[in-house]
Amino acid sequence: MSVTIDIAGLTPERMAFETSPLAELGIALHALAEPGHHPALHGWATATSAALKPDLADRLSEADFLWRTTFSDVFMPFAGLADGSVRPGRTLAEDLDLLDRLDDERFVSAAVEFTCATHYDSGGPSALTDPATRDRALDLAAARGPRQVEFTRRMLDDPPAVRAWVRRLLEDCDEAFFADTWRRVGVQLAADARHKTELLRHKGLAETLAAVSPALSLDETRGRIHADKLAQGRATAVDPAVGPALTFIPSSFGWPHLMILHAPGWRPVVHYPVGSPELRTPASVALLQLRLEALAHPMRIRLCRHIARSAATTGELADVLGLSAPEVSRHLALLKKAGLASTRRRGRYVLHQLDLTVVARLGSDFIEGLLR
């Protein structure tokens, strides 16, 4: 699976690396709401949450469906304005002014797109004008609690009032903690954007995408960018209705998320994490699927248990598991194909052993279960 961005015919000057205070505030709010997604930010999230005034913390809880589950497109409003030359604001105030320029229908659709609607990829009728879509949005919001359904009802009944409320909330976040945070991370993000711009100019798009994220690749023949994600979607960077453009926005708070704005009628945006060079390159989705499928068989789980403890020959494993040697070999072949097991020769014997370093990246519970 992947998200693809059509760029056939897009000129290099329409590709830009930009910083966005509003986009960074959105992902910072996500890190506060879901600290488990961002273990490296645990200290920042704990200290920031503890310092929030009760009123602000309460209002953040009321609107957290905009950033808790995922990342709403309202944090990148420049991409929803019908002018391909619009860039993110240099300050949070400028970004919020761009947010004010979105029409009510586009704002509401973006605000409820993930938690209260199911038409992100294909569009669909507006909850402001279509009764069935409105009822669906309220039903889905209700599943997330009474505060969320009340907030959604207010937004559908009086979008201007809720939009003003959201702007005040984000301005209060800026005063409470984000202004200091942006002064600290904004310089790093601007430097990364400049570096990637120079890389694009001198090395080309393929090498630049590799530097942005190992999950991004270029299909030059078809004129597409592929983002290796557990999601399916498609966007175009050459839609004349909104203006041709593709924007890349670095984030200091983003890891491990690589987010692709690919909503219909919006220009695509790649929101990518920076500042984690010590992290290993993540496995591809295809390899992750192969590994999980290899571990889904109960006999291979038993096999893993034995070769996690010590290396063993095929014959030894066959005796322990009550299988024939060819059956064990077939199971081992699947584990080796997935990169979960390795072999080494000792004289005339071939020993098989589980690669605990690789398996550990799938989860500590699995390792502990194997070694318990």
Side-chain angles (χ1 to χ4, degrees):
M1 293 189 290
S2 66
V3 176
T4 63
I5 304 173
D6 293 328
I7 58 168
L10 187 69
T11 57
E13 59 268 19
R14 305 302 297 179
M15 302 180 194
F17 285 85
E18 306 275 358
T19 61
S20 169
L22 181 57
E24 193 70 355
L25 173 55
I27 197 65
L29 290 172
H30 170 71
L32 286 177
E34 291 289 356
H37 291 195
H38 304 269
L41 298 174
H42 178 75
W44 174 87
T46 300
T48 301
S49 295
L52 291 178
K53 293 181 179 179
D55 172 69
L56 179 56
D58 193 55
R59 286 186 290 149
L60 287 174
S61 177
E62 187 174 353
D64 73 352
F65 69 84
L66 291 174
W67 53 76
R68 177 181 288 275
T69 304
T70 186
F71 186 73
S72 173
D73 293 343
V74 300
F75 291 101
M76 291 182 280
F78 69 94
L81 298 172
D83 181 354
S85 65
V86 176
R87 301 290 179 85
R90 292 170 297 176
T91 65
L92 181 63
E94 290 181 5
D95 265 341
L96 292 175
D97 289 342
L98 294 176
L99 182 59
D100 288 343
R101 288 172 55 186
L102 288 180
D103 60 60
D104 285 346
E105 186 168 315
R106 190 169 290 254
F107 176 90
V108 171
S109 295
V112 302
E113 63 199 10
F114 291 106
T115 53
C116 306
T118 56
H119 305 291
Y120 182 81
D121 292 314
S122 59
S126 168
L128 290 178
T129 57
D130 182 71
T133 305
R134 175 190 170 90
D135 290 344
R136 171 72 171 163
L138 290 171
D139 284 344
L140 291 172
R144 288 155 179 83
R147 298 188 71 179
Q148 280 67 33
V149 72
E150 178 58 28
F151 187 91
T152 303
R153 181 176 287 109
R154 294 199 335 259
M155 183 163 54
L156 295 175
D157 290 341
D158 190 358
V162 171
R163 295 179 65 166
W165 185 92
V166 169
R167 175 161 184 152
R168 287 195 301 272
L169 173 65
L170 298 178
E171 289 171 337
D172 288 346
C173 288
D174 189 47
E175 182 179 348
F177 66 89
F178 184 70
D180 289 338
T181 299
W182 182 250
R183 278 192 290 270
R184 176 171 54 83
V185 305
V187 174
Q188 175 200 22
L189 298 183
D192 185 85
R194 287 193 300 271
H195 170 68
K196 298 295 195 304
T197 299
E198 290 300 307
L199 195 62
L200 179 62
R201 179 178 298 124
H202 297 292
K203 298 293 186 179
L205 182 58
E207 191 164 332
T208 304
L209 292 175
V212 168
S213 169
L216 296 176
S217 61
L218 176 64
D219 183 342
E220 294 189 70
T221 303
R222 297 184 178 183
R224 295 177 182 173
I225 294 172
H226 291 274
D228 187 37
K229 290 172 63 70
L230 280 170
Q232 196 75 30
R234 186 169 181 174
T236 177
V238 290
D239 184 353
V242 294
L246 173 60
T247 307
F248 296 84
I249 296 181
S251 171
S252 181
F253 285 82
W255 191 88
H257 306 303
L258 172 70
M259 292 170 287
I260 313 293
L261 191 165
H262 60 282
W266 293 60
R267 292 183 298 282
V269 179
V270 178
H271 194 195
Y272 65 95
V274 299
S276 300
E278 74 282 358
L279 297 170
R280 293 178 56 183
T281 300
S284 69
V285 170
L287 181 57
L288 178 61
Q289 181 176 345
L290 186 65
R291 288 173 175 172
L292 293 177
E293 289 173 350
L295 295 171
H297 195 287
M299 184 55 71
R300 285 195 285 277
I301 293 290
R302 292 181 60 195
L303 182 60
C304 285
R305 182 177 184 276
H306 289 285
I307 62 176
R309 285 165 159 71
S310 63
T313 66
T314 301
E316 290 171 332
L317 293 168
D319 288 341
V320 170
L321 298 172
L323 299 175
S324 68
E327 287 177 305
V328 172
S329 293
R330 283 194 293 271
H331 287 304
L332 285 170
L334 287 171
L335 293 173
K336 286 187 283 187
K337 183 179 180 181
L340 297 170
S342 60
T343 60
R344 71 175 189 271
R345 183 170 291 278
R346 189 178 64 195
R348 64 188 182 91
Y349 297 102
V350 176
L351 299 174
H352 309 279
Q353 189 156 26
L354 196 68
D355 190 332
L356 291 176
T357 302
V358 173
V359 177
R361 298 188 69 191
L362 295 176
S364 60
D365 285 350
F366 183 71
I367 284 284
E368 291 168 6
L370 292 176
L371 300 179
R372 185 177 301 136

